[in-house]
Amino acid sequence: MKKKMYIIPLFIPHLGCPFKCVFCNQNSITGQQQEITEEYVRQTIETHLKTLPRDAEIEVSFFGGSFTGIPQDMQNLYLGIAKEYLDKGKIDAIRLSTRPDYIDTEILQNLKRYEVSIIELGVQSMDEEVLLKSRRGHTSEDVVKAVNLIRQYDFKLGLQIMIGLPGDNLEKSLNTAYKIVELKPDFVRIYPTLVIKNTYLERMYKKGRFFPLTLQEAVEISKKMYIIFIKNNIDVIRIGLQTTENINYNKDIVAGPFHPAMGQLVESSVILDILLKVFEDKNIRDTNVTIFSNERRISTIIGQKKFNKLFLEKKYNVKMEFTILNSLTDDKVVVCIDKKIMRISITDFIKNNF
């Protein structure tokens, strides 16, 4: 059985960032205000290790800034501490996030010395106008060059994308997705743009120069991108910012498509599309339908506030029941109609039908 993955997060807000992107207030996004000292890094790792099961897969992950842009001695200090735990077998991997324009041969050779396993690049968009209007300070060509270099050194690669940035639209977001597919990352994250306090984007929003996506628009665009990535064997490991003390309405979010379970909304919408196609193809109406899933996925299939269940019952005049069957993997769903059984792989269905 595959070990459960746990991440020990170490946030380094704004360290190494040469630009102030219009959307960015890293202290709010990460909830991090504390100075990043050697003591803080060790204490954070030790505190997490005390609570994690010993048979788990554990990563130390440096998030929040542009790690490879910070001074070399600071990089080496942080990485050296993480590598101590790696060498002792207390953790299994080291991960970091950085900018595409802060990748070169010397940087990657240094990361290899400290046995970094995973690099995530904040790409955000592959559209030049969007990058310029968002004040990213890099181009799409910088992304391509960085990815090619990283591949030469055999790191696991993740790319982070934002939708709904200034100048963005559905077509540009999908074009970004297709260009990301060409780069063949191991995984991606999708973040709908939020208006955060004390950012230039907040000023744009209040002056009527920026209009964030609605929640429904963000779900639909994220879903289309999700399907593109799944069809091309690229894992989507997160959709939407994680809720923190500050990342919430009535806190530091001014506007935008925030939801504490954005990923579930997107996956639930994908599953509804799958079930709609099954119902249409099999002409399922006026009958009883039972859907089996494991405990982790059952609420996603039913939908937020039972949306999927109620929608299907009304549209097809069916009576729907949902039953937990934990022998099923997250990817598997069993649909039972009048004693006829359909076994569905969500991933295979997406690849073959969407």
Side-chain angles (χ1 to χ4, degrees), residues 145-248:
K145 289 178 181 177
V147 167
N148 289 337
L149 263 181
I150 289 168
R151 284 300 189 203
Q152 289 178 30
Y153 284 85
D154 198 31
F155 291 93
K156 188 172 183 180
L157 174 66
L159 301 180
Q160 301 169 4
I161 309 157
M162 294 181 69
I163 60 172
L165 287 166
D168 199 13
N169 56 37
L170 173 61
E171 181 181 3
K172 289 181 178 182
S173 289
L174 297 186
N175 282 340
T176 287
Y178 287 118
K179 289 179 179 179
I180 293 296
V181 166
E182 292 175 4
L183 297 176
K184 299 180 180 179
D186 297 289
F187 62 90
V188 297
R189 301 177 191 257
I190 303 170
Y191 294 117
T193 300
L194 303 176
V195 180
I196 306 293
K197 286 182 180 178
N198 301 319
T199 62
Y200 188 75
L201 200 61
E202 180 188 18
R203 291 162 57 188
M204 292 174 65
Y205 171 72
K206 289 182 174 179
K207 291 179 179 180
R209 293 168 46 209
F210 175 74
F211 301 93
L213 298 171
T214 66
L215 181 60
Q216 187 57 41
E217 287 171 338
V219 169
E220 286 300 311
I221 295 171
S222 298
K223 178 173 72 173
K224 292 178 186 296
M225 298 179 83
Y226 177 91
I227 289 170
I228 290 170
F229 293 131
I230 295 302
K231 285 173 70 72
N232 287 277
N233 302 309
I234 298 171
D235 289 338
V236 182
I237 67 169
R238 184 164 191 88
I239 303 175
L241 282 176
Q242 183 172 345
T243 305
T244 66
E245 183 178 350
N246 293 324
I247 294 300
N248 222 322

